[in-house]
Amino acid sequence: MPHSYFDSENNSHKSFELPGAKPHYNPDRPGQVEHIFLDLNLDIPKQSYTGICTITLQPITTGITRLSLDAVNLNILSVQIDGIQQSFDYDGSKLDIRLDPATEAGKVVKIAIAYSVEKPQRGLYFITPDKHYPHKPTQVWTQGEDEDSRFWFPCFDYPGQLATSEIRVRVPKSMLAISNGRLIETQEDGDSKIYHWLQEQVHPTYLMTLAVGDFAEIEDKWHGFPVTYYVEKGREEDARRSMGKTPRMIEFFSDKYGYFYAFPKYAQVCVDDFIFGGMENTSTTLLTDRCLLDERAAIDNRNTESLVAHELAHQWFGDLVVIKHWSHAWIKEGMASYSEVMWTQEEYGNQEAAYYRLLEARNYLAEDSSRYRRPIVTHVYREAIELYDRHLYEKGSCVYHMIRAELGDDLFWQAIHTFVRDNAHKTVETIDLLRAIEKASGRNLLFLFDQYVYRGGHPDFKVAYTWDGDSKLAKVTVTQTQVKEGSSTDLFDLKIPISFGYTQEGKPTDFKTFPVRIYEREQSFYFPLPEKPQFVSFDAGNNYLKTVALEYALPELQAQLQYDLDPVSRIYAAKAIATKGGLEAVKALTNALKSDEFWGVRVEVAKNLAEVKLDQAFDGLVAGLQDENALVRRAVIEALSQIKTKASYKAIKPFVTGGDPSYYVEATAARAIGAIALVNLDEESKEKKVIKLLNTVLEEKAGWNEVVRSGAIGGLSQLKTSSEALDIILQYTKAGVPQALRLAAIRALGTISAGQTPVNLERILERLDGLSLETFFLTQVSVVVALGQMETIKAAAILNALASQTPDGRVRRMAEEAVQQVQAKAGSQQATKQLREELDQLKKDNQQLKSRLESLEAKSASN
Ligand SMILES: [Zn+2]
């Protein structure tokens, strides 16, 4: 149990390091692993396998008599070195082998370990139908990252060791087995078939993979290389729809990274019950089958395309250029996330890419403000998987973009080419990226890395602007509000362009841009200009990771919202306008919602309109319900659900009853109906009507990934005092309910718990307690999410039990953080209660005082 959760140095941010966190280093290396050969025999009905793992090792020194391998919960049968039986010790996590004779430097040894595994808990997963889910496909797949390969074969399990690999596997004849590299042989033998795959380029153990199933195989090509999609049979069309851009993406990334795709094929296998979105195993990416889009889902789901781009980008950043240690994982995750931006730019243009970057930045900013702040590079943690957070991915992506902004496009790509070329088939650390940048561009970007990579945080800028007409001077005052007054810690030192925009006949015609160095807490800059500008763009291009609060007069903000070419600047202007409030603000935002050419800005404007608490905002929003873009309709409905009136209920209801082309719009509407009804129940029959409406959705709208029905569950969960809504949600947490819907129902238990009676609260806790014993990763995550929203200390007890039992580091960390949340809420509840009691006492005392005063006065009067 963490008791020092708050960082003592910085009170406003929680500490990333949980109790038990310690520095992690790569182990000493007794030798270089040259090759790993797994020869496996799967017994799928028994969920077990036997195997021989042969490791070819080149010893670094003479006289090594012991080797220690990672091997967790394997049944080790025998160990041979060069055909000679060796003795070994095995404690369930480390396999210690005695070498007799001892090694000779440079003389290769072959270590052959015979082993078996039954019902593995991690590393290799057997997916089979059961009585609750009789239609589940039979599949076997693996997941190595970060340190789980040791659960399916003995190895030196850290990314600093690169070797070629080979997997030979016997499976039932009806099934396909897919693995890294190229298929060198297949062989039929009675009812079974042997697949033999060889990966001839070196890679780390965490990228070794195997996927087995009765898959449909869809062949695509890129420059003659096979590009193959494997999906459950019957989903061939969805496969093409979801992954069909892969060959173009391979072309694009080969060009951008300046390195031809390095492996003999690229396969993507969509598997059931996958515990990540995707995993970039070398030349063989595994994806969750939930990413497969049907026609309607493809209307407004861009996530799958981004996922495909992300995992593909790893084939260079991660698989070709391998990180030496997990602490440098941002090099690959940051670039894979930034490659989503690059692909968005290539496919959909600059505005979309800019908005994509803003959304990534916000993901990081949310983690930074609500969870913890940490340096991107740190080797102090409990488990490496804890590093896989929004700092690693999204902040990492923002850092790559800032490098690009510092160098300019040409030098940036030259630096990336240099980095990839110089480090192909090798391992890297952050310093290698800095060196490649310096080699290619002559620039030393250590100052940038120091501020954004090696330490936590980002600048929070407040920007004020005034115009002095007499002297034709623009004054811009910039404050770094993350820095306390009189302090210099957390200061950023950056060169930021400030741009003044001029318009003519409703079009931006001219920009005057000045780079300024911002390095103090508060600085004022004066710019002599020929003419009064219409608007001011701080950080023109919005390349730097930051937050901004604009303090300009309304006309400048309106002009910026209307004319700034950068959608991110328009979005900042919309926010500042909403903060000002008033009818003029509503007018400007309503106009932008109608007329901005980019849907991303319209989405943000809708959000901001709801923030202006004026009736006129409603009229502006309602018009947005007709927007041609589903993402805008979604945002408008969400915004309307904040305005909890009968009118907004009426406006949204048709999307629940009549539907929308987009699943997500329907789901949002169902959720919104519940949220509005919660505060707008002027009669009890209204609640019944809403429940009936949402129940109809549950009965009639089964479909793709259960998005719509999950929305209905979300709507019901808003009816926090309703016992009936709770009963329905509980029904959907039962085994046998389609998984996506069931997970939504489990999470909804947390939301609805807030207003329930003590008896119902017990029912919720009991159900979540039962569910917490299920071992499936996504179920555990949903249970943690639900419990984390509760305000009773009993929820913390279940979370603690889950944290101590779960085999998954991500669940453990989430559960521990949720315990903190629950304790804080339960604590503040108690504190509020105590405060109320004290207040009551004070009131009583006060009354007594008053009475005493009055009686004193009466006495003095009588004197
Ligand atoms: Zn990734």
Side-chain angles (χ1 to χ4, degrees):
M1 258 301 308
H3 53 268
S4 61
Y5 196 61
F6 288 91
D7 189 345
S8 55
E9 282 172 278
N10 187 344
N11 286 327
S12 60
H13 285 94
K14 290 171 192 152
S15 167
F16 164 73
E17 293 161 19
L18 293 179
K22 61 174 176 43
H24 284 76
Y25 310 98
N26 275 347
D28 294 333
R29 93 173 43 208
Q32 176 59 46
V33 176
E34 291 188 336
H35 188 67
I36 300 170
F37 178 25
L38 300 181
D39 195 353
L40 307 176
N41 199 339
L42 297 186
D43 185 341
I44 295 173
K46 288 198 176 134
Q47 304 199 9
S48 67
Y49 63 95
T50 56
I52 297 172
C53 169
T54 307
I55 297 171
T56 310
L57 184 89
Q58 164 116 246
I60 285 172
T61 57
T62 299
I64 296 170
T65 56
R66 266 172 184 280
L67 285 176
S68 181
L69 278 78
D70 301 299
V72 183
N73 297 341
L74 309 178
N75 182 23
I76 305 293
L77 304 171
S78 73
V79 178
Q80 290 189 349
I81 290 184
D82 295 331
I84 301 164
Q85 209 78 20
Q86 307 283 327
S87 61
F88 62 88
D89 289 319
Y90 182 54
D91 65 1
S93 69
K94 285 276 181 193
L95 174 62
D96 281 307
I97 302 170
R98 276 181 288 281
L99 276 67
D100 187 12
T103 60
E104 283 175 44
K107 187 174 173 257
V108 163
V109 292
K110 272 196 174 174
I111 310 155
I113 302 154
Y115 69 109
S116 68
V117 182
E118 259 173 71
K119 295 202 166 64
Q121 288 302 300
R122 302 189 68 73
L124 185 144
Y125 298 77
F126 287 94
I127 308 297
T128 51
D130 60 23
K131 66 174 195 281
H132 298 300
Y133 298 94
H135 302 298
K136 200 182 247 315
T138 298
Q139 294 177 353
V140 179
W141 47 260
T142 66
Q143 172 58 37
E145 192 173 14
D146 47 307
E147 295 176 343
D148 280 358
S149 285
R150 61 188 70 179
F151 286 83
W152 71 285
F153 62 94
C155 51
F156 297 97
D157 198 9
Y158 64 98
Q161 273 276 11
L162 307 185
T164 54
S165 73
E166 185 175 357
I167 295 182
R168 190 172 176 269
V169 60
R170 179 188 290 266
V171 300
K173 202 155 70 182
S174 61
M175 295 190 154
L176 290 173
I178 304 117
S179 182
N180 314 97
R182 61 190 179 89
L183 186 61
I184 53 173
E185 196 191 9
T186 58
Q187 194 186 319
E188 290 197 11
D189 181 12
D191 288 341
S192 52
K193 189 165 175 179
I194 296 163
Y195 287 83
H196 194 160
W197 292 86
L198 176 65
Q199 163 74 29
E200 290 163 299
Q201 296 81 19
V202 294
H203 66 156
T205 50
Y206 82 86
L207 293 173
M208 285 176 67
T209 192
L210 175 64
V212 179
D214 181 15
F215 297 113
E217 190 176 13
I218 297 125
E219 279 281 353
D220 228 333
K221 280 260 185 294
W222 176 74
H223 286 276
F225 286 81
V227 175
T228 318
Y229 319 126
Y230 297 90
V231 294
E232 211 186 323
K233 283 182 176 155
R235 302 205 68 181
E236 291 84 347
E237 233 177 282
D238 294 349
R240 283 202 180 276
R241 183 180 296 114
S242 311
M243 296 176 276
K245 291 183 181 174
T246 308
R248 282 181 44 221
M249 289 181 182
I250 302 178
E251 180 75 26
F252 175 68
F253 290 137
S254 287
D255 177 49
K256 283 288 163 194
Y257 305 143
Y259 202 97
F260 207 70
Y261 179 75
F263 308 109
K265 63 124 201 287
Y266 187 54
Q268 290 169 94
V269 193
C270 295
V271 297
D272 195 82
D273 275 358
F274 199 48
I275 56 173
F276 284 81
M279 179 62 213
E280 70 271 18
N281 304 299
T282 318
S283 80
T284 307
T285 284
L286 302 196
L287 298 168
T288 167
D289 60 3
R290 288 178 66 173
C291 81
L292 288 167
L293 305 176
D294 74 5
E295 217 169 321
R296 275 184 73 190
I299 294 174
D300 54 345
N301 179 312
R302 198 74 76 62
N303 298 349
T304 293
E305 190 168 335
S306 292
L307 174 68
V308 169
H310 179 108
E311 304 308 333
L312 176 62
H314 276 313
Q315 298 299 321
W316 288 262
F317 279 76
D319 300 7
L320 174 65
V321 177
V322 183
I323 50 158
K324 192 170 199 161
H325 188 268
W326 304 119
S327 53
H328 301 286
W330 81 276
I331 292 175
K332 73 182 183 83
E333 293 306 344
M335 181 46 104
S337 302
Y338 190 55
S339 297
E340 299 170 34
V341 176
M342 285 159 46
W343 176 252
T344 302
Q345 185 176 16
E346 167 75 5
E347 193 71 355
Y348 302 102
N350 290 341
Q351 302 218 48
E352 300 253 359
Y355 188 49
Y356 201 102
R357 264 198 302 117
L358 177 68
L359 297 182
E360 283 193 344
R362 279 185 188 161
N363 279 341
Y364 149 72
L365 291 168
E367 179 172 271
D368 177 83
S369 64
S370 69
R371 207 174 167 206
Y372 50 69
R373 168 172 290 182
R374 71 174 182 89
I376 295 182
V377 173
T378 174
H379 64 304
V380 182
Y381 47 78
R382 284 196 314 207
E383 299 178 59
I385 198 76
E386 293 172 80
L387 296 172
Y388 287 66
D389 61 4
R390 313 284 54 99
H391 283 68
L392 198 73
Y393 288 76
E394 283 90 342
K395 191 179 187 189
S397 171
C398 294
V399 170
Y400 273 107
H401 184 75
M402 289 188 284
I403 299 170
R404 186 174 170 181
E406 282 289 339
L407 300 182
D409 263 22
D410 285 353
L411 287 180
F412 175 69
W413 293 118
Q414 279 176 40
I416 293 298
H417 295 184
T418 303
F419 180 63
V420 174
R421 210 174 40 231
D422 287 1
N423 295 291
H425 307 293
K426 292 183 195 156
T427 59
V428 293
E429 296 168 293
T430 303
I431 186 74
D432 297 304
L433 181 58
L434 274 168
R435 283 180 181 145
I437 292 168
E438 193 172 341
K439 185 176 168 188
S441 71
R443 292 284 309 277
N444 177 6
L445 295 191
L446 185 56
F447 76 95
L448 191 73
F449 280 50
D450 258 346
Q451 299 183 73
Y452 279 104
V453 177
Y454 295 125
R455 84 176 199 216
H458 55 267
D460 296 312
F461 291 120
K462 186 174 83 184
V463 188
Y465 160 79
T466 50
W467 172 254
D468 178 350
D470 294 336
S471 49
K472 295 204 168 179
L473 271 184
K475 179 187 179 192
V476 177
T477 303
V478 182
T479 315
Q480 300 195 35
T481 58
Q482 82 279 6
V483 183
K484 287 192 196 87
E485 229 164 317
S487 160
S488 63
T489 36
D490 294 335
L491 261 179
F492 275 72
D493 183 345
L494 299 165
K495 214 178 251 173
I496 299 228
I498 297 177
S499 191
F500 299 92
Y502 294 87
T503 62
Q504 236 169 16
E505 290 162 12
K507 276 195 179 118
T509 47
D510 191 21
F511 294 91
K512 305 229 173 297
T513 305
F514 306 88
V516 296
R517 184 177 159 212
I518 295 171
Y519 60 97
E520 286 179 308
R521 184 177 181 276
E522 187 172 310
Q523 284 166 277
S524 290
F525 304 95
Y526 297 87
F527 306 92
L529 296 169
E531 214 80 57
K532 184 185 181 193
Q534 263 78 50
F535 62 93
V536 186
S537 258
F538 176 75
D539 187 17
N542 285 295
N543 293 318
Y544 288 87
L545 175 58
K546 63 183 182 296
T547 68
V548 281
L550 302 180
E551 300 196 338
Y552 309 163
L554 192 60
E556 275 81 16
L557 291 172
Q558 283 168 324
Q560 183 160 33
L561 175 58
Q562 209 172 343
Y563 301 119
D564 201 311
L565 298 174
D566 182 346
V568 177
S569 291
R570 301 207 292 279
I571 289 165
Y572 288 145
K575 184 163 182 253
I577 288 172
T579 308
K580 282 197 187 296
L583 264 184
E584 282 302 306
V586 172
K587 250 195 231 163
L589 294 171
T590 300
N591 187 40
L593 180 57
K594 248 187 263 165
S595 60
D596 199 287
E597 53 164 2
F598 176 48
W599 62 265
V601 174
R602 301 203 298 279
V603 162
E604 299 294 327
V605 163
K607 282 189 211 169
N608 281 306
L609 254 178
E611 297 293 314
V612 187
K613 306 288 178 218
L614 282 180
D615 292 349
Q616 286 83 348
F618 172 82
D619 301 327
L621 274 171
V622 164
L625 287 173
Q626 308 304 323
D627 202 286
E628 54 167 26
N629 188 298
L631 289 148
V632 179
R633 294 199 297 279
R634 226 197 280 183
V636 169
I637 291 172
E638 231 158 69
L640 281 170
S641 76
Q642 318 263 314
I643 304 173
K644 300 177 196 299
T645 60
K646 269 188 190 164
S648 55
Y649 183 90
K650 260 196 178 152
I652 294 171
K653 197 180 159 195
F655 289 87
V656 182
T657 50
D660 185 275
S662 152
Y663 292 124
Y664 295 102
V665 172
E666 286 186 9
T668 307
R671 220 169 277 127
I673 282 288
I676 298 171
L678 169 69
V679 289
N680 206 27
L681 296 174
D682 41 8
E683 45 192 305
E684 211 177 300
S685 65
K686 184 85 171 279
E687 179 178 295
K688 288 227 177 318
K689 269 188 204 159
V690 173
I691 291 174
K692 200 174 157 213
L693 187 60
L694 293 174
N695 218 359
T696 313
V697 174
L698 284 167
E699 279 160 11
E700 291 174 2
K701 299 235 170 170
W704 186 80
N705 280 358
E706 298 295 357
V707 166
V708 180
R709 293 210 284 171
S710 297
I713 289 286
L716 285 170
S717 74
Q718 295 294 324
L719 304 168
K720 292 178 184 160
T721 54
S722 167
S723 198
E724 199 184 339
L726 174 63
D727 289 343
I728 298 170
I729 292 173
L730 281 169
Q731 285 296 320
Y732 283 94
T733 65
K734 284 185 179 162
V737 170
Q739 195 194 76
L741 181 58
R742 184 171 185 242
L743 296 175
I746 294 170
R747 290 191 298 271
L749 288 178
T751 317
I752 201 170
S753 72
Q756 297 290 324
T757 62
V759 175
N760 277 343
L761 215 52
E762 283 304 317
R763 287 170 69 205
I764 292 171
L765 284 165
E766 201 179 310
R767 185 73 193 115
L768 288 172
D769 193 22
L771 288 163
S772 75
L773 302 175
E774 292 187 18
T775 52
F776 180 50
F777 169 72
L778 293 177
T779 310
Q780 294 196 337
V781 169
S782 298
V783 168
V784 170
V785 170
L787 288 166
Q789 294 176 66
M790 297 186 72
E791 292 174 1
T792 156
I793 214 74
K794 285 178 187 166
I798 303 173
L799 283 165
N800 272 326
L802 183 55
S804 64
Q805 285 159 14
T806 182
D808 194 292
R810 290 177 290 174
V811 174
R812 185 158 37 249
R813 170 135 204 159
M814 285 175 71
E816 288 182 15
E817 289 180 14
V819 167
Q820 299 294 327
Q821 278 171 30
V822 171
Q823 280 177 341
K825 269 183 281 191
S828 74
Q829 230 184 13
Q830 205 150 29
T832 315
K833 200 174 144 203
Q834 204 177 338
L835 207 64
R836 198 170 295 136
E837 283 167 4
E838 282 170 16
L839 261 175
D840 287 346
Q841 190 58 45
L842 271 174
K843 270 188 201 154
K844 248 187 248 166
D845 294 350
N846 201 19
Q847 217 166 354
Q848 284 173 351
L849 269 175
K850 260 194 192 158
S851 326
R852 280 173 61 191
L853 199 65
E854 270 167 37
S855 64
L856 270 174
E857 278 169 355
K859 267 186 197 165
S860 67
S862 68
N863 275 353

